[in-house]
Short mmCIF file of all heavy atoms in Angstrom, two decimals:
data_model
loop_
_atom_site.label_atom_id
_atom_site.label_comp_id
_atom_site.label_asym_id
_atom_site.label_seq_id
_atom_site.Cartn_x
_atom_site.Cartn_y
_atom_site.Cartn_z
N VAL A 6 -107.89 10.09 -13.96
CA VAL A 6 -109.21 9.43 -13.96
C VAL A 6 -109.40 8.71 -12.63
O VAL A 6 -108.57 7.87 -12.24
CB VAL A 6 -109.31 8.43 -15.13
CG1 VAL A 6 -110.63 7.65 -15.05
CG2 VAL A 6 -109.21 9.17 -16.47
N ALA A 47 -117.97 10.15 -14.78
CA ALA A 47 -117.63 8.95 -14.01
C ALA A 47 -116.40 8.27 -14.60
O ALA A 47 -116.16 8.35 -15.82
CB ALA A 47 -118.81 7.99 -14.01
N ALA A 48 -115.66 7.57 -13.74
CA ALA A 48 -114.45 6.87 -14.18
C ALA A 48 -114.78 5.73 -15.15
O ALA A 48 -113.89 5.21 -15.82
CB ALA A 48 -113.68 6.33 -12.98
N THR A 49 -116.05 5.35 -15.22
CA THR A 49 -116.44 4.26 -16.14
C THR A 49 -117.12 4.79 -17.40
O THR A 49 -117.54 4.01 -18.24
CB THR A 49 -117.41 3.30 -15.42
OG1 THR A 49 -118.43 4.09 -14.79
CG2 THR A 49 -116.68 2.48 -14.37
N ASP A 50 -117.24 6.11 -17.52
CA ASP A 50 -117.88 6.71 -18.71
C ASP A 50 -116.79 6.90 -19.78
O ASP A 50 -116.21 7.98 -19.92
CB ASP A 50 -118.52 8.05 -18.31
CG ASP A 50 -119.15 8.77 -19.50
OD1 ASP A 50 -119.05 8.27 -20.65
OD2 ASP A 50 -119.73 9.85 -19.28
N ILE A 51 -116.53 5.83 -20.50
CA ILE A 51 -115.39 5.83 -21.44
C ILE A 51 -115.57 6.88 -22.54
O ILE A 51 -114.63 7.62 -22.86
CB ILE A 51 -115.19 4.41 -22.04
CG1 ILE A 51 -115.04 3.37 -20.92
CG2 ILE A 51 -114.00 4.37 -22.99
CD1 ILE A 51 -113.93 3.62 -19.93
N ASP A 52 -116.77 6.96 -23.09
CA ASP A 52 -117.01 7.96 -24.15
C ASP A 52 -116.80 9.37 -23.60
O ASP A 52 -116.16 10.21 -24.24
CB ASP A 52 -118.45 7.85 -24.67
CG ASP A 52 -118.65 6.59 -25.51
OD1 ASP A 52 -117.64 6.04 -26.00
OD2 ASP A 52 -119.80 6.15 -25.65
N GLY A 53 -117.34 9.61 -22.41
CA GLY A 53 -117.24 10.95 -21.80
C GLY A 53 -115.78 11.31 -21.51
O GLY A 53 -115.36 12.46 -21.74
N LEU A 54 -115.00 10.35 -21.03
CA LEU A 54 -113.59 10.61 -20.71
C LEU A 54 -112.78 10.87 -21.98
O LEU A 54 -111.93 11.77 -22.01
CB LEU A 54 -112.99 9.42 -19.94
CG LEU A 54 -113.57 9.18 -18.54
CD1 LEU A 54 -113.13 7.82 -18.00
CD2 LEU A 54 -113.16 10.30 -17.57
N CYS A 55 -113.05 10.10 -23.03
CA CYS A 55 -112.33 10.30 -24.29
C CYS A 55 -112.66 11.67 -24.87
O CYS A 55 -111.76 12.38 -25.34
CB CYS A 55 -112.68 9.20 -25.30
SG CYS A 55 -111.97 7.61 -24.87
N VAL A 68 -104.70 6.78 -15.45
CA VAL A 68 -105.91 6.06 -15.06
C VAL A 68 -105.70 5.41 -13.70
O VAL A 68 -104.80 4.57 -13.55
CB VAL A 68 -106.28 4.99 -16.12
CG1 VAL A 68 -107.64 4.38 -15.79
CG2 VAL A 68 -106.30 5.60 -17.52
N PRO A 70 -108.24 3.74 -11.28
CA PRO A 70 -108.88 2.46 -10.94
C PRO A 70 -108.84 1.42 -12.07
O PRO A 70 -108.57 1.75 -13.22
CB PRO A 70 -110.34 2.86 -10.68
CG PRO A 70 -110.48 4.29 -11.05
CD PRO A 70 -109.20 4.79 -11.61
N GLU A 71 -109.15 0.17 -11.71
CA GLU A 71 -109.13 -0.90 -12.70
C GLU A 71 -110.33 -0.89 -13.62
O GLU A 71 -110.24 -1.35 -14.78
CB GLU A 71 -108.98 -2.27 -12.03
CG GLU A 71 -110.12 -2.74 -11.14
CD GLU A 71 -110.09 -2.16 -9.74
OE1 GLU A 71 -109.26 -1.24 -9.47
OE2 GLU A 71 -110.90 -2.60 -8.90
N ALA A 72 -111.48 -0.37 -13.14
CA ALA A 72 -112.71 -0.49 -13.94
C ALA A 72 -112.57 0.13 -15.34
O ALA A 72 -112.89 -0.52 -16.34
CB ALA A 72 -113.90 0.10 -13.18
N PRO A 73 -112.07 1.37 -15.47
CA PRO A 73 -111.92 1.92 -16.82
C PRO A 73 -110.89 1.16 -17.66
O PRO A 73 -111.01 1.11 -18.90
CB PRO A 73 -111.49 3.37 -16.60
CG PRO A 73 -111.16 3.50 -15.15
CD PRO A 73 -111.78 2.38 -14.42
N LEU A 74 -109.89 0.58 -17.00
CA LEU A 74 -108.90 -0.21 -17.75
C LEU A 74 -109.57 -1.46 -18.31
O LEU A 74 -109.36 -1.83 -19.47
CB LEU A 74 -107.73 -0.59 -16.83
CG LEU A 74 -106.94 0.60 -16.28
CD1 LEU A 74 -106.01 0.17 -15.16
CD2 LEU A 74 -106.15 1.28 -17.41
N GLU A 75 -110.41 -2.09 -17.48
CA GLU A 75 -111.13 -3.29 -17.93
C GLU A 75 -112.09 -2.94 -19.07
O GLU A 75 -112.37 -3.77 -19.94
CB GLU A 75 -111.92 -3.88 -16.74
CG GLU A 75 -112.60 -5.21 -17.07
CD GLU A 75 -113.26 -5.88 -15.87
OE1 GLU A 75 -113.58 -5.17 -14.90
OE2 GLU A 75 -113.44 -7.11 -15.91
N LEU A 76 -112.57 -1.69 -19.08
CA LEU A 76 -113.50 -1.26 -20.14
C LEU A 76 -112.77 -0.75 -21.38
O LEU A 76 -113.40 -0.32 -22.34
CB LEU A 76 -114.43 -0.17 -19.60
CG LEU A 76 -115.42 -0.62 -18.52
CD1 LEU A 76 -116.12 0.58 -17.88
CD2 LEU A 76 -116.45 -1.58 -19.11
N GLY A 77 -111.44 -0.80 -21.37
CA GLY A 77 -110.69 -0.44 -22.58
C GLY A 77 -110.43 1.05 -22.76
O GLY A 77 -110.21 1.50 -23.89
N LEU A 78 -110.38 1.82 -21.67
CA LEU A 78 -110.14 3.26 -21.81
C LEU A 78 -108.81 3.56 -22.50
O LEU A 78 -108.73 4.41 -23.38
CB LEU A 78 -110.18 3.95 -20.43
CG LEU A 78 -109.85 5.44 -20.43
CD1 LEU A 78 -110.80 6.23 -21.33
CD2 LEU A 78 -109.87 6.01 -19.01
N VAL A 79 -107.77 2.83 -22.10
CA VAL A 79 -106.45 3.12 -22.67
C VAL A 79 -106.41 2.78 -24.16
O VAL A 79 -105.83 3.52 -24.97
CB VAL A 79 -105.34 2.39 -21.87
CG1 VAL A 79 -104.01 2.43 -22.60
CG2 VAL A 79 -105.22 3.02 -20.48
N ASP A 80 -107.06 1.70 -24.55
CA ASP A 80 -107.12 1.35 -25.98
C ASP A 80 -107.77 2.50 -26.76
O ASP A 80 -107.28 2.89 -27.83
CB ASP A 80 -107.95 0.08 -26.19
CG ASP A 80 -107.52 -1.06 -25.29
OD1 ASP A 80 -107.62 -0.91 -24.06
OD2 ASP A 80 -107.09 -2.10 -25.82
N ARG A 81 -108.86 3.01 -26.22
CA ARG A 81 -109.60 4.08 -26.92
C ARG A 81 -108.77 5.36 -26.99
O ARG A 81 -108.74 6.02 -28.03
CB ARG A 81 -110.92 4.35 -26.20
CG ARG A 81 -111.96 3.23 -26.34
CD ARG A 81 -112.72 3.35 -27.67
NE ARG A 81 -113.32 4.68 -27.81
CZ ARG A 81 -114.47 5.07 -27.24
NH1 ARG A 81 -115.16 4.23 -26.49
NH2 ARG A 81 -114.93 6.29 -27.43
N LEU A 82 -108.08 5.70 -25.90
CA LEU A 82 -107.25 6.91 -25.91
C LEU A 82 -106.12 6.78 -26.91
O LEU A 82 -105.79 7.72 -27.63
CB LEU A 82 -106.71 7.19 -24.50
CG LEU A 82 -107.76 7.64 -23.47
CD1 LEU A 82 -107.19 7.57 -22.05
CD2 LEU A 82 -108.26 9.06 -23.77
N GLU A 84 -106.14 5.05 -29.64
CA GLU A 84 -106.71 5.23 -30.99
C GLU A 84 -106.83 6.71 -31.33
O GLU A 84 -106.70 7.11 -32.48
CB GLU A 84 -108.10 4.59 -31.07
CG GLU A 84 -108.08 3.07 -31.24
CD GLU A 84 -109.44 2.45 -30.93
OE1 GLU A 84 -110.47 3.14 -31.08
OE2 GLU A 84 -109.46 1.27 -30.54
N PRO A 92 -102.51 0.00 -18.65
CA PRO A 92 -102.50 -1.08 -19.63
C PRO A 92 -103.76 -1.08 -20.51
O PRO A 92 -104.78 -0.51 -20.15
CB PRO A 92 -102.48 -2.33 -18.75
CG PRO A 92 -103.18 -1.92 -17.51
CD PRO A 92 -102.84 -0.46 -17.30
N THR A 93 -103.64 -1.76 -21.64
CA THR A 93 -104.81 -2.00 -22.50
C THR A 93 -105.75 -2.98 -21.78
O THR A 93 -105.37 -3.62 -20.80
CB THR A 93 -104.37 -2.67 -23.81
OG1 THR A 93 -103.73 -3.91 -23.48
CG2 THR A 93 -103.42 -1.78 -24.60
N LYS A 94 -106.95 -3.09 -22.35
CA LYS A 94 -107.94 -4.03 -21.80
C LYS A 94 -107.37 -5.45 -21.77
O LYS A 94 -107.52 -6.17 -20.78
CB LYS A 94 -109.18 -3.97 -22.70
CG LYS A 94 -110.29 -4.91 -22.36
CD LYS A 94 -111.37 -4.81 -23.46
CE LYS A 94 -112.42 -5.88 -23.33
NZ LYS A 94 -113.39 -5.61 -22.27
N ALA A 95 -106.69 -5.84 -22.84
CA ALA A 95 -106.16 -7.22 -22.91
C ALA A 95 -105.07 -7.42 -21.86
O ALA A 95 -104.98 -8.49 -21.25
CB ALA A 95 -105.62 -7.49 -24.31
N ALA A 96 -104.25 -6.41 -21.63
CA ALA A 96 -103.18 -6.54 -20.63
C ALA A 96 -103.74 -6.45 -19.22
O ALA A 96 -103.21 -7.08 -18.29
CB ALA A 96 -102.11 -5.47 -20.86
N ALA A 97 -104.83 -5.69 -19.04
CA ALA A 97 -105.44 -5.54 -17.71
C ALA A 97 -106.03 -6.86 -17.21
O ALA A 97 -106.31 -7.00 -16.02
CB ALA A 97 -106.53 -4.47 -17.74
N GLU A 98 -106.17 -7.84 -18.10
CA GLU A 98 -106.68 -9.15 -17.67
C GLU A 98 -105.79 -9.79 -16.61
O GLU A 98 -106.21 -10.70 -15.91
CB GLU A 98 -106.85 -10.10 -18.86
CG GLU A 98 -108.21 -9.94 -19.50
CD GLU A 98 -108.65 -11.16 -20.29
OE1 GLU A 98 -108.34 -12.30 -19.88
OE2 GLU A 98 -109.30 -10.96 -21.32
N THR A 101 -107.98 -8.62 -14.03
CA THR A 101 -109.44 -8.82 -14.15
C THR A 101 -109.82 -10.28 -14.35
O THR A 101 -110.99 -10.62 -14.21
CB THR A 101 -110.03 -7.94 -15.27
OG1 THR A 101 -109.43 -8.31 -16.51
CG2 THR A 101 -109.75 -6.46 -15.00
N ILE A 147 -113.54 -9.84 -11.34
CA ILE A 147 -113.50 -8.77 -10.32
C ILE A 147 -114.79 -8.82 -9.53
O ILE A 147 -115.88 -8.68 -10.08
CB ILE A 147 -113.37 -7.40 -11.00
CG1 ILE A 147 -112.06 -7.31 -11.78
CG2 ILE A 147 -113.53 -6.27 -9.99
CD1 ILE A 147 -110.88 -6.84 -10.99
N CYS A 286 -103.47 -4.29 -11.98
CA CYS A 286 -103.00 -3.58 -13.18
C CYS A 286 -102.95 -2.09 -12.94
O CYS A 286 -102.97 -1.31 -13.89
CB CYS A 286 -103.90 -3.93 -14.36
SG CYS A 286 -105.62 -3.42 -14.15
#
Side-chain angles (χ1 to χ4, degrees):
V6 175
T49 49
D50 178 357
I51 305 303
D52 289 339
L54 294 168
C55 288
V68 187
E71 65 279 9
L74 297 168
E75 186 174 23
L76 293 170
L78 176 59
V79 168
D80 310 62
R81 289 278 305 280
L82 290 167
E84 281 164 26
T93 59
K94 177 186 170 77
E98 273 203 35
T101 62
I147 297 273
C286 62

